[in-house]
Amino acid sequence: MRIIAIEEHWTTEGIDRALRAQPTEVRDESVALNDRGDIPARLLDIGEQRVETMDAAGVDVQILSIAPPGTQGLPAREAIALSREANDRASEAAGRYPTRLRAMTTLPTSDPDAAVAELRRTADAPGHVGVMSYGRSGERPLDDPVYDELLAAAAGLRRPVFIHPQIPPNTVREASYRGFDPTTDLALATFGWGWHIEAGLAALRLIVRGTFDRHPDLQIVLGHWGEMLLFALDRIDSLSNIATHLERRVAEYFQSNIYVATSGMLTPRLLRHALDFTSVDRILLSGDYPFHRLDTASIDDFLRTLPGLRDQHKIAHANAEALYGLEQPPSGSDDQRAQPQERSRAQP
């Protein structure tokens, strides 16, 4: 079965240096999570070694996305240059491995106008099929009116926007996520809880702001099975009684404008729960590489949770093909794995 993994991380040396060089008071501490084990080397590789790892895991296509915290917290001038460089490198990698790699566009959201310009610049660039974003740029949320043109452009270009988790603002961290040792503080504010609340809240704010009424073609993707929102959707839907300006109830937007991805959490009980609140057509497979490592056995076991082969194919590849406009290989083709000429090419 063809496997497409949609949230597979990488970064550039320039972005990594810039993040670590920021003044202490504004530095995103979550970049330290990129330093574990062999993750640093794997993040910098979008060439032969990555494709070999994909082969070993049975993954046919990766959609590359810049690792958190991305460029969204960098000063505008720096973010613009580094985002452009990353997007050009992603295009080059997709050109070298045309059957294996695609990319989400990195945007300098600290400058909303520049973010729109970069999205339009990459609209026809090889390999670019979506957008990697965050719920805030500095203190400015994604639903702020200054980003409406950007969201309109994403909708018009049919570029799904992946809202990736990010660390809460310092004021929130002081109030809710500190008071332990530094390692526990950081874990609690990131993968232990804070990341997911931030991403889920960003999506919820977009709904309440009326974003999807203005841009009905806009599609967003939330990792980690919907960043907690599906688990509380019955309660969240009560916002519909207050947000009477919306064209639909809050929960209905999850059927029309929101996809959820696995983010390496190939857990059958999470799949069963998600299907109570959304359809199998809105679930995407993602490995969150290299922070999680997929393998053929775990993918097969997970997909077999679904009794129907058609639904297995949807999550494995068909939903991603439809959402990201990915070409499908000819029926019976075996070119899902690396072609000889691709595997012999040098790493970028």
Side-chain angles (χ1 to χ4, degrees), residues 86-96 103 122 125-128:
N87 292 330
D88 289 347
R89 287 186 60 185
S91 287
E92 292 167 4
R96 278 189 294 272
T122 58
H128 284 264

Side-chain angles (χ1 to χ4, degrees), residues 6-20 22 28-36 38-46 50 62-74 82-83 86-87 89-90 102-107 131-134 162-167 190 195 224 287-292:
I6 70 143
E7 177 204 2
E8 315 312 304
H9 294 302
W10 74 291
T11 195
T12 69
E13 295 88 343
I15 290 175
D16 187 66
R17 282 195 303 269
L19 290 168
R20 297 173 193 276
Q22 285 189 289
D28 190 320
E29 294 179 40
S30 68
V31 73
L33 300 175
N34 297 351
D35 293 338
R36 296 165 292 166
D38 63 353
I39 287 175
R42 289 180 180 269
L43 284 175
L44 294 173
D45 165 50
I46 49 174
R50 179 173 292 246
Q62 277 193 1
I63 300 181
L64 303 172
S65 60
I66 286 291
T71 63
Q72 55 83 32
L74 295 173
L82 290 170
S83 296
N87 292 330
R89 287 186 60 185
R102 295 293 181 271
M104 296 187 198
T105 304
T106 302
L107 297 178
V131 171
M132 172 58 73
S133 186
Y134 293 82
F162 195 112
I163 300 179
H164 196 279
Q166 67 189 130
I167 202 165
T190 55
W195 264 354
H224 307 99
D288 202 12
Y289 178 88
F291 304 104
H292 292 272

Side-chain angles (χ1 to χ4, degrees), residues 251-264:
E252 292 181 40
Y253 294 94
F254 287 80
Q255 300 294 329
S256 58
N257 299 93
I258 298 174
Y259 285 77
V260 301
T262 60
S263 298

Side-chain angles (χ1 to χ4, degrees), residues 168-207:
N170 275 328
T171 52
V172 176
R173 291 185 67 194
E174 284 295 334
S176 301
Y177 294 99
R178 289 196 171 108
F180 306 95
D181 61 273
T183 301
T184 303
D185 289 352
L186 180 61
L188 188 62
T190 55
F191 60 84
W193 189 249
W195 264 354
H196 313 296
I197 299 303
E198 289 294 306
L201 180 60
L204 195 55
R205 287 182 62 97
L206 286 172
I207 294 173

Side-chain angles (χ1 to χ4, degrees), residues 299-321:
I299 293 172
D300 290 346
D301 288 346
F302 171 70
L303 291 174
R304 279 198 290 266
T305 302
L306 294 161
L309 188 59
R310 183 180 180 188
D311 287 347
Q312 292 177 21
H313 278 275
K314 285 181 178 180
I315 293 179
H317 64 92
N319 290 344
E321 288 165 348

Side-chain angles (χ1 to χ4, degrees), residues 26 103 113 139 183 190 196 235 240 259 298 308-309 327 337:
V26 297
D113 291 336
E139 299 296 321
T183 301
T190 55
H196 313 296
R235 180 70 167 173
S240 307
Y259 285 77
S298 62
L309 188 59
E327 64 278 8
R337 300 289 182 260

